[in-house]
């Protein structure tokens, strides 16, 4: 029981990760794929934030009388990863717009058929 | 004073150049500045390689923060060799780009194209230079995002779907990599590669470390297009603009193979790998990959797609060296990294010159062009021989070392696969040569492409000079192996200290 409740955030990470990953693989709609990719990346943000937590640790701001702090480094790392995620999403959506202009569709099968029939 | 910062300058120079180029007016100025930057970076990379070729290591602390807290650039012979490949190919691709880009990309996008090219160069060089595993992820994403944008600039609409496909697969790969990095950090509390290699051995039995290892390996196998995770590569190489294909084919997968080497030998250590099924798995995937992808290449009707499948097969050879895990085999991997960049660079440049003249990359449109464009044709022949691995070319050297390594390990099956792979390469290289030289120019081509190949002239000098630069390098490094094998030897001594 402690294995599940004690590490509930990690279990959450795994569930979100797999949900996102499955969406990317299974959906044929290009927008839904990007949504799945985002969910997948968010799970990694949660993983990093969980790693940074130190049991009974205080907020990492130096203060008198506090000796134990949470680790701020993973949080800083994940700020970078969030920026990367935003850039990826923006680029992905821009590509979807261009694909819609070129093919008139954002369904993978549809696009595939159009290229085959040429 | 400035000399101690030169290792950083290699990365910062193209990074600073990118926004400047993006706002420049139309004309040749964006091209001129990116060419200048790439040649200065190339000069710095040569200087860097000369400094570390004696086996010493340059350690640069970013912002004066001592490692393992700060980011460290740690350059040994392996980094320097990869940085040399990337900057050298960029320095030769950019002169080629001037005419090719004018033909393939709308003029208002030229400045942005060169800016994205500089960002891609920054990312690839950054991966080669850095000694920090999270910094590596950031550079990986810089190079990936800019290469998605570059690929989507291709003329056909399939370029967009190819870029999208690559974006999805590439992001999954990169995200797998940071999951692995996060787990490593949770266990060791460090992101510095040298520090990680010190701290990991006592944790070898821990399950988290095995999970982290699996995530990192799969993530980078996606990035380097190891069979069967190569699905994004053929489309991306086929539909990207010629210049982008040349640059990415010669550098981006090579850099990913280098990261794999670093992870396997520096960070985790081969003694860890040997206790997992990874090395056998690599050998199995490489062997199937080499055979299947070479067969695929034979049946392609598009010259760029043919070379793309051949690239996936060649990546198999590089990963074989990692799977075998001996000093000799890792030397073979590093030498093949260098030589294959020369081979594929030259081949894509030659095919690009044909596309420049006739506007199509389909093999059936090439008929008879060998007589009209003798210099381009000769370049394809020499680079093709090098791809096959004929003695006297660079390709022979790397295959020779790989076969020696396989014999040393008594892996006779792998020796056979390398030889069969070379025979298959003979077939697909011959397919291009046959169309170019032995088919009359007025059979099928004019019906389908609507023009007579007989009137086609030789490619302009601006395309021929970089192409022949690479072709000569192919022959030169087939005879003089001091730079390639010598540097690889130095690198292997540092990478694989504990191998037999």
């Amino acid at each position: 029981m402690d294995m599940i409740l004690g590490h509930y955030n990690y279990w959450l990470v795994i569930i979100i990760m797999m949900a996102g990953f499955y969406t990317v693989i299974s959906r044929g709609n290009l927008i839904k794929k990007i949504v799945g990719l985002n969910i997948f990346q968010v799970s990694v943000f949660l993983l990093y934030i969980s790693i940074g937590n130190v049991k009974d640790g205080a907020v990492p701001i130096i203060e008198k009388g506090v000796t134990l702090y949470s680790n701020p480094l993973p949080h800083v790392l994940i700020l970078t990863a969030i920026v990367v995620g935003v850039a990826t999403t923006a680029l992905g959506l821009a590509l979807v717009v261009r694909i819609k202009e070129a093919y008139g569709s954002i369904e993978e099968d549809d696009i595939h058929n159009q290229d085959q029939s040429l | 004073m400035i000399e101690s910062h030169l290792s950083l300058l290699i990365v910062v120079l193209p990074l600073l150049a990118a926004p400047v180029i993006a706002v420049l007016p139309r004309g040749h100025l964006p091209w001129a500045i990116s060419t200048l930057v790439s040649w200065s970076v190339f000069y710095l990379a040569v200087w860097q390689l000369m400094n570390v070729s004696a086996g010493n290591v340059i350690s640069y602390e970013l912002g004066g923060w001592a490692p393992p807290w700060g980011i460290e650039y740690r350059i040994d012979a392996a980094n320097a060799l990869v940085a040399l490949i990337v900057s050298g190919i960029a320095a030769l691709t950019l002169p080629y780009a001037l005419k090719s880009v004018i033909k393939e990309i709308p003029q208002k996008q030229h400045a942005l194209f060169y800016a994205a090219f500089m960002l891609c160069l920054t990312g690839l060089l950054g991966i080669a230079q850095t000694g920090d595993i999270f910094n590596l992820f950031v550079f990986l994403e810089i190079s990936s995002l800019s290469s998605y944008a570059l690929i989507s600039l291709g003329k056909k609409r399939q370029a967009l779907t190819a870029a999208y496909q690559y974006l999805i697969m590439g992001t999954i790969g990169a995200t797998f990599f940071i999951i692995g990095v996060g787990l490593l950090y949770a266990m060791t509390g460090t992101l510095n590669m040298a520090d990680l290699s010190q701290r990991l051995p006592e944790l070898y039995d821990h399950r988290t470390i095995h999970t982290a290892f699996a995530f990192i390996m799969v993530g980078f196998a996606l990035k380097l297009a190891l069979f069967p995770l190569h699905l994004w590569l053929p489309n991306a190489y086929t539909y990207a603009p010629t210049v982008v294909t040349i640059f990415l084919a010669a550098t981006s997968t090579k850099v990913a193979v280098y990261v794999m080497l670093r992870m396997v030998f520096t960070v985790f250590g081969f003694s860890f790998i040997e206790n997992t099924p990874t090395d056998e798995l690599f050998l199995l995937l490489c062997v199937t990959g080499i055979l299947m992808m070479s067969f695929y290449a034979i049946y392609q009707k598009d010259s760029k797609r043919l070379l793309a499948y051949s690239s996936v097969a060649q990546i198999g050879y590089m990963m074989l060296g990692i799977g075998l895990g001996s000093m000799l085999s890792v030397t073979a991997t590093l030498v093949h990294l260098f030589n294959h960049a020369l081979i594929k660079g030259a081949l894509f440049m030659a095919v690009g010159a044909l596309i420049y003249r006739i506007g199509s990359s389909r093999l059936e449109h090439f008929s008879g062009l060998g007589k009209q464009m003798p210099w381009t044709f000769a370049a394809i022949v020499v680079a093709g021989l090098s791809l096959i691995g004929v003695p006297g070319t660079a390709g022979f050297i790397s295959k020779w070392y790989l076969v020696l390594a396989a014999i040393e390990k008594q892996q006779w099956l792998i020796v056979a696969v390398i030889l069969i792979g070379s025979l298959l390469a003979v077939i697909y290289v011959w397919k291009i040569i046959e169309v170019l030289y032995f088919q009359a120019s007025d059979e099928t081509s004019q019906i389908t492409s609507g023009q007579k190949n007989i009137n086609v002239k030789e490619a302009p000098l601006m395309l021929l000079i970089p192409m022949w630069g690479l072709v000569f390098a192919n022959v030169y490094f087939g005879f003089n192996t001091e730079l390639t094998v010598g540097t690889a030897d130095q690198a292997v001594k540092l990478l694989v200290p504990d191998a037999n």
Side-chain angles (χ1 to χ4, degrees), chain A residues 30 41 48 71 73 77 102, chain B residues 134 141 157 164 171 178 182 185:
Chain A
L30 299 187
Q41 286 180 320
Y48 269 72
N71 184 355
L73 186 77
L77 293 181
Chain B
F134 196 84
E141 283 297 36
R157 62 178 180 177
Y164 181 86
T171 308
I178 38 168
Y185 180 75

Side-chain angles (χ1 to χ4, degrees), chain B residues 195-211:
Chain B
D195 202 30
L196 272 171
S197 67
Q198 303 276 312
R199 291 180 191 218
L200 277 175
E202 52 189 278
L203 298 163
Y204 271 171
D205 296 328
H206 209 286
R207 201 187 287 164
T208 311
I209 298 298
H210 285 260
T211 318

Side-chain angles (χ1 to χ4, degrees), chain B residues 420-437:
Chain B
I420 294 170
S422 305
L423 289 177
L424 293 172
V426 175
I427 301 177
Y428 57 71
V429 170
W430 175 252
K431 260 191 78 174
I432 307 179
I433 293 174
E434 189 191 7
V435 177
L436 280 173
Y437 198 75

Side-chain angles (χ1 to χ4, degrees), chain A residues 14-30:
Chain A
I14 293 170
I15 292 167
I16 298 176
M17 191 182 284
M18 288 305 122
F21 195 40
Y22 180 74
T23 315
V24 180
I25 296 170
S26 64
R27 296 292 148 176
N29 185 306
L30 299 187

Side-chain angles (χ1 to χ4, degrees), chain B residues 149-163:
Chain B
L150 287 173
I151 289 168
S152 72
L153 289 172
K155 255 184 178 171
K156 290 187 182 157
R157 62 178 180 177
Q158 285 99 318
L160 296 171
T161 39

Side-chain angles (χ1 to χ4, degrees), chain A residues 17 21 24 29-31 33-34 37 40-41 44 47-48 51 71 73-74 77-78 80-81 84 87-88 91-92 95-96 98-99 102-103 111 114-115 118, chain B residues 109 134 137-138 141 144-146 148-149 152-154 157-161 163-164 167-168 171-172 175-183 185-186 191 215:
Chain A
M17 191 182 284
F21 195 40
V24 180
N29 185 306
L30 299 187
I31 298 276
K33 266 184 189 292
I34 290 189
L37 202 63
F40 181 52
Q41 286 180 320
V44 183
L47 173 74
Y48 269 72
I51 290 169
N71 184 355
L73 186 77
L77 293 181
I78 222 56
T80 318
V84 170
T88 311
L91 183 60
L95 281 174
V96 175
R98 291 279 310 277
I99 289 174
Y103 289 87
I111 293 165
Q114 285 190 38
D115 277 343
L118 280 176
Chain B
Q109 288 172 349
F134 196 84
F137 162 74
V138 175
E141 283 297 36
S144 305
L145 285 169
S146 45
Y148 308 145
S152 72
L153 289 172
R157 62 178 180 177
Q158 285 99 318
L160 296 171
T161 39
Y164 181 86
L167 180 132
I168 297 288
T171 308
I172 291 175
T175 312
F176 271 28
F177 179 70
I178 38 168
I179 294 171
V181 171
L183 295 175
Y185 180 75
L191 293 166
F215 270 118

